[in-house]
């Protein structure tokens, strides 16, 4: 792309010779999934082959991990989807979804069960995958699904509160409702900042659908709860460093030898840049080169931080470098 | 209160002698309702008597208006509540609720019915009062109430869109749901900024309940829709000038001879200050003098704009000045 300021990221096209050099240094490669490996149910052509070659590596095998803000699938569901679409086999522990990472965060942040009283519990706005990850982590919660209607005695504005709740967790929730928002606010007001955590899986505004359409993302629901509670949620997903810390703690990887591959500047690339990773943008998802150009020419440090080191049209562009 | 900067608002206590002088100049007095005239179903003691004396005035009778961000009551419902709690009789045209003002805004902002096609229609997130005010204003809309569940073919993510919709209106909606948020986003994306207006009744974060509790305010729902749509709503209620313009257009009042009485700094007082009104804070609602002190001592122009001209503990404190 155009002239870059000295020392800054330049969003350079990752040509095969450069790709060979960048990838030979990489011990770990982290992939966002939707928009990078697949779109909906269709694999990006050549992506599966690129991952197979990448994992084999020139010397020892490289670690591949899957880092996604999607909170509506479990780690197991991701390994199953990778398998179904022809990607190299992955273990659930290679998958860092925001549902798993939220459960991991809450397991550590919530007070341990004392000698008296029940274990701390979580009021969850989310779907079955978020429930499942909390259960797998041993975190007690109140379940998910539809909430009582305004004419019910159990409507959120007046339902009895569970004394064990010490956190509100907001993820993707097709059953999100005003009643749930009421209950979330009541738990947050009762506990105060000390007594009731507010955690969000991510701030994505929208989930793009095939054909250019979109549905509202979890960020809309997090904003609604934050506005009511008048405080900021702790965010688990990209661009938060927390999701990378989960990977780093699990696999003891070196950020300087890690590549983050993603299609979104304000999540994937920003997280990678903030954590000292090498960042690679793919144009198979939601971002155009024109957007990067705007950030690259900006004098605003926040915008400059959205510029990746490299870009490719598709991760299939890595094939020539990997096939040698 | 403490030393005030030259020329700025000072939040001076409105002692009887000062009150006599301020009120003798006032041709119109605008009241916020909840926290000023009543709290829930209980009138503020002495408030009804103060309004009766105020309306009679020393010379000609003064205009009293009721200016409220609450979108869940019609103009008629407010006149009925004023009557029930012993306030002087009011006409519906003296009541400027955000439901009425939103309907008034949309009647003018929506394209007029052309020779072909149906009248422009509104997708409403709100309750029966908002519906009723739209109908009274002759604005076509899709109705209110519960929305189909995620397992329904009519769930917001996939329901057919009504071709006539040219605006999304967000008010207080106990039936707010993810499905409604989906549908709002789909209308806003289809129309673009030109083709589909986004209007919110107000940005209040919470509705305080008796006993210190609260439920989420319309501002939470507006934020959710704005986050999904990635654009700002036009806000009708305080602190927007629009709600005052409705009063001014209806009664041709002079801002310099108008007093705005309210209990909230960021809505009532800010709107009054922005519109050149004399502002009077009452401490019967959500604000303490300590909060005003913080703004008064601040160097930030935005915070200084939240400082009222005067304050009283309760509007009953006006009684001695009015009884002379």
């Amino acid at each position: 792309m155009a002239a870059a300021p000295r020392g800054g990221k330049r969003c350079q096209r990752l040509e095969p010779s450069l790709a060979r050099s960048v990838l030979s240094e990489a011990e770990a490669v982290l992939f966002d999934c939707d928009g990078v490996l697949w779109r909906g149910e269709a694999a990006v052509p050549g992506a599966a082959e690129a991952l197979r070659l990448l994992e084999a590596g020139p010397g020892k095998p490289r670690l591949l991990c899957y880092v996604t803000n999607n909170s509506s699938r479990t780690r197991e569901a991701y390994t199953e989807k990778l398998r179904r679409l022809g990607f190299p086999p992955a273990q659930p522990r290679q998958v860092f979804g925001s549902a798993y990472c939220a459960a991991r965060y809450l397991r550590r942040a919530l007070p341990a069960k004392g000698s008296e009283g029940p274990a701390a519990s979580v009021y969850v706005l989310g779907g079955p995958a978020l429930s499942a990850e909390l259960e797998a982590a041993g975190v007690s919660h109140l379940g998910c699904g539809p909430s009582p209607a305004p004419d019910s005695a159990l409507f959120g504005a007046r339902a009895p509160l569970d004394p064990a709740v010490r956190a509100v967790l907001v993820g993707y929730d097709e059953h999100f409702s005003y009643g749930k928002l009421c209950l979330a606010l009541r738990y947050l007001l009762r506990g105060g900042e000390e007594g009731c955590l507010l955690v969000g899986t991510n701030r994505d505004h929208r989930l793009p659908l095939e054909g250019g359409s979109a549905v509202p993302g979890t960020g809309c629901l997090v904003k609604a709860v934050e506005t009511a509670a008048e405080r900021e949620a702790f965010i688990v997903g990209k661009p938060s460093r927390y999701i990378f810390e989960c990977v780093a703690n699990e696999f003891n990887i070196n950020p300087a030898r890690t590549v983050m591959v993603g299609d979104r500047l304000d999540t994937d690339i920003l997280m990678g840049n903030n954590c000292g990773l090498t960042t690679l943008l793919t144009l198979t998802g939601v971002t155009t080169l024109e957007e990067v150009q705007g950030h690259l020419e900006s004098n605003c440090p926040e915008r400059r931080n959205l510029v990746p080191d490299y870009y490719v049209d598709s991760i299939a562009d890595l094939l020539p470098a990997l096939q040698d």
Side-chain angles (χ1 to χ4, degrees), chain A:
Chain A
M1 298 198 67
R6 268 189 298 269
K9 308 254 172 188
R10 293 172 53 202
C11 193
Q12 202 176 354
R13 182 187 276 276
L14 197 62
E15 305 283 5
S17 61
L18 189 55
R20 231 169 267 124
S21 132
V22 167
L23 295 174
S24 72
E25 297 288 311
E27 291 171 356
V29 187
L30 317 185
F31 289 94
D32 177 45
C33 299
D34 202 43
V36 174
L37 305 182
W38 56 69
R39 294 174 62 106
E41 274 302 311
V44 167
E49 173 70 2
L51 263 68
R52 270 195 295 275
L53 292 169
L54 195 54
E55 191 173 40
K60 61 172 179 174
R62 280 195 204 84
L63 173 68
L64 304 191
C65 288
Y66 305 92
V67 179
T68 169
N69 277 359
N70 190 326
S71 67
S72 61
R73 284 213 183 90
T74 60
R75 299 183 112 178
E76 283 71 17
Y78 268 96
T79 59
E80 166 55 23
K81 182 161 185 178
L82 286 161
R83 190 200 58 67
R84 194 165 70 241
L85 297 185
F87 287 90
Q91 299 298 314
R93 66 193 288 264
Q94 290 168 262
V95 179
F96 294 83
S98 65
Y100 164 74
C101 293
R104 185 179 165 120
Y105 177 78
L106 286 166
R107 187 180 60 208
R108 289 162 196 219
L110 285 173
K113 183 166 165 23
S115 52
E116 36 191 299
S121 187
V122 180
Y123 179 59
V124 184
L125 296 92
L130 203 47
S131 280
E133 291 290 14
L134 289 169
E135 280 152 29
V139 175
S140 167
H141 68 92
L142 305 191
C144 62
S147 61
D151 58 4
S152 158
L154 293 175
F155 184 56
R158 55 187 168 267
L161 298 182
D162 184 319
V165 168
R166 302 294 296 272
V168 170
L169 170 60
V170 186
Y172 180 75
D173 186 0
E174 286 194 330
H175 291 282
F176 183 85
S177 66
Y178 184 74
K180 288 189 175 187
L181 183 59
C182 284
L183 212 44
L185 174 60
R186 292 175 63 208
Y187 281 121
L188 291 163
L189 285 176
R190 185 187 64 172
E193 301 230 0
E194 294 293 305
C196 189
L197 304 173
L198 174 55
V199 178
T201 57
N202 67 83
R203 290 199 184 279
D204 294 37
H205 295 175
R206 294 182 194 163
L207 303 177
L209 303 180
E210 284 302 289
S213 174
V215 293
T218 303
C220 306
L221 314 184
V222 172
K223 268 286 181 202
V225 177
E226 287 182 323
T227 302
E230 298 179 347
R231 58 164 143 147
E232 263 197 41
F234 176 84
I235 300 294
V236 164
K238 299 169 284 187
S240 167
R241 291 166 171 271
Y242 183 77
I243 199 163
F244 175 69
E245 286 164 12
C246 292
V247 184
N249 287 340
E250 183 95 8
F251 289 107
N252 194 28
I253 60 178
N254 177 358
R257 288 179 167 269
T258 300
V259 179
M260 173 71 216
V261 187
D263 71 318
R264 284 187 73 123
L265 301 178
D266 61 353
T267 54
D268 304 318
I269 302 305
L270 182 58
M271 184 279 273
N273 288 347
N274 282 342
C275 294
L277 317 183
T278 300
T279 47
L280 173 58
L281 175 71
T282 69
L283 301 177
T284 42
V286 298
T287 304
T288 64
L289 268 191
E290 287 64 37
E291 290 169 62
V292 186
Q293 190 67 45
H295 298 314
L296 196 49
E297 290 167 359
S298 162
N299 288 321
C300 164
E302 281 76 27
R303 291 189 64 185
R304 297 293 310 286
N305 213 15
L306 299 171
V307 176
D309 293 293
Y310 306 106
Y311 82 94
V312 284
D313 291 327
S314 154
I315 57 172
D317 294 1
L318 301 177
L319 284 170
L322 294 166
Q323 279 160 341
D324 291 350

